Amino acid sequence: MATSLSATGCVGSSFYGSWGTSIVGEDYTMLAKSVPSQVRMGKGKPTRLQPMMKNVNEGKGIFAPLVVITRNIVGKKRFNQLRGKAIALHSQVITEFCKSIGADGKQRQGLIRLAKKNGEWLGFLA
């Protein structure tokens, strides 16, 4: 293992700068300002912002109008319960299919993800 000595007799290093300026100095201030705050203060207690989980194909797809009309008639809460039951039933069907053909868990997960993508594309998740 080779080491190099500088003119001062110290071992050479590829690290330049000091820890004090890189953590506490201007870099830290710029970094702190660039990171968005995920917690909003309101009435003395912090509240988390809700994540935006939105379908990129919302309103698109051949079945989207039917899904939107059904959601408006049935109500959002009941509609989401029915949708959850339908998704669970479809996942069970996929699982039984995978058992019958001898597919492993990874292939089963792939089929479930494919079903979700197809549902988004067709407008079932509008």
Side-chain angles (χ1 to χ4, degrees):
M1 177 183 226
T3 59
S4 63
L5 294 176
S6 66
T8 61
C10 296
V11 176
S13 171
S14 62
F15 175 74
Y16 296 103
S18 69
W19 284 100
T21 58
S22 65
I23 294 177
V24 181
E26 295 174 8
D27 295 339
Y28 177 78
T29 306
M30 288 176 39
L31 179 65
K33 288 180 181 177
S34 68
V35 176
S37 173
Q38 295 295 323
V39 177
R40 183 178 292 167
M41 298 299 286
K43 296 189 180 187
K45 63 179 184 178
T47 57
R48 286 198 173 265
L49 297 175
Q50 292 294 325
M52 296 298 287
M53 295 174 39
K54 196 170 189 180
N55 181 6
V56 294
N57 294 321
E58 188 167 351
K60 300 176 185 173
I62 193 167
F63 294 105
L66 180 65
V67 170
V68 171
I69 291 170
T70 305
R71 182 176 52 212
N72 291 340
I73 292 172
V74 176
K76 194 170 186 176
K77 183 177 179 180
R78 180 72 178 138
F79 177 78
N80 285 336
Q81 289 174 343
L82 292 171
R83 176 186 279 171
K85 287 180 183 179
I87 291 171
L89 181 62
H90 193 228
S91 295
Q92 288 176 353
V93 169
I94 292 171
T95 300
E96 290 300 318
F97 173 74
C98 288
K99 284 181 183 176
S100 69
I101 64 168
D104 63 353
K106 191 172 183 179
Q107 291 172 327
R108 182 183 65 86
Q109 276 300 114
L111 287 174
I112 291 173
R113 285 191 183 115
L114 180 63
K116 183 180 180 207
K117 286 181 183 178
N118 287 338
E120 289 173 354
W121 183 74
L122 291 171
F124 287 119
L125 301 178

